[in-house]
């Protein structure tokens, strides 16, 4: 399975509606699903700046599938994680997004995902204490 991204908005409006907690719960659910899988699904959960759908948050996108979720709650974590891990989209949670808006976001995602992924790897790597001889 090609790499798939679950991008969760970390913008101020989504954050105020719980997107950070949601993102951590999604990370945990995906890690648990990955451990239970025999096919090693390649899914990365990333924080994203803002999808410009601020009144409908918390927002998340499974990419490159192009499936948008809005108004997520912690009750939705398992369904969204299952989709990100290779299942079907959680159809009752899928948001209808204007095609031109989605295409513009995908163009930006194509440019920014490598940087977001590098940030995520840095975040996930435990800090090493440096030894200073002086
Ligand atoms: S703050 Fe989440 S879409 Fe803008």
């Amino acid at each position: 399975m090609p790499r798939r991204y679950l991008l969760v908005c970390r913008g101020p409006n989504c954050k105020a509606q719980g997107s950070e907690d949601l993102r951590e719960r999604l990370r945990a659910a995906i890690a648990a699903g990955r451990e239970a899988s025999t096919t090693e699904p390649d899914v990365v959960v990333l924080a994203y700046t803002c999808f410009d759908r601020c009144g409908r948050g918390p927002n998340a996108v499974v990419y490159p599938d192009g499936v948008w979720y809005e108004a997520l709650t912690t009750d939705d974590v398992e369904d969204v994680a299952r989709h990100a891990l290779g299942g079907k989209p959680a159809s009752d949670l899928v948001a209808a997004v204007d095609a031109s808006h989605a295409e513009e976001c995908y163009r930006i995602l194509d440019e920014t995902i490598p940087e977001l992924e590098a940030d995520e790897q840095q975040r996930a790597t435990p800090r090493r204490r440096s030894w200073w001889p002086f």
Side-chain angles (χ1 to χ4, degrees), residues 1-5 61-69 83-89 106:
M1 177 167 61
R3 176 162 283 184
R4 181 181 268 162
Y5 298 94
V61 177
V62 177
Y63 187 76
D65 298 36
V67 175
W68 294 67
Y69 292 108
H83 170 210
L85 286 162
K88 292 183 179 173
Y106 301 153

Side-chain angles (χ1 to χ4, degrees), residues 30-96:
I30 285 172
R34 192 181 284 127
E35 284 177 18
S37 172
T38 55
T39 56
E40 294 270 341
D42 193 6
V43 184
V44 179
V45 179
L46 297 172
Y48 188 69
T49 314
C50 177
F51 290 109
D52 197 18
R53 295 174 49 80
C54 309
R56 299 177 175 155
N59 291 285
V61 177
V62 177
Y63 187 76
D65 298 36
V67 175
W68 294 67
Y69 292 108
E70 66 184 13
L72 291 173
T73 72
T74 54
D75 292 342
D76 305 324
V77 165
E78 292 302 322
D79 290 337
V80 174
R82 197 173 303 115
H83 170 210
L85 286 162
K88 292 183 179 173
S91 56
D92 56 326
L93 303 172
V94 171

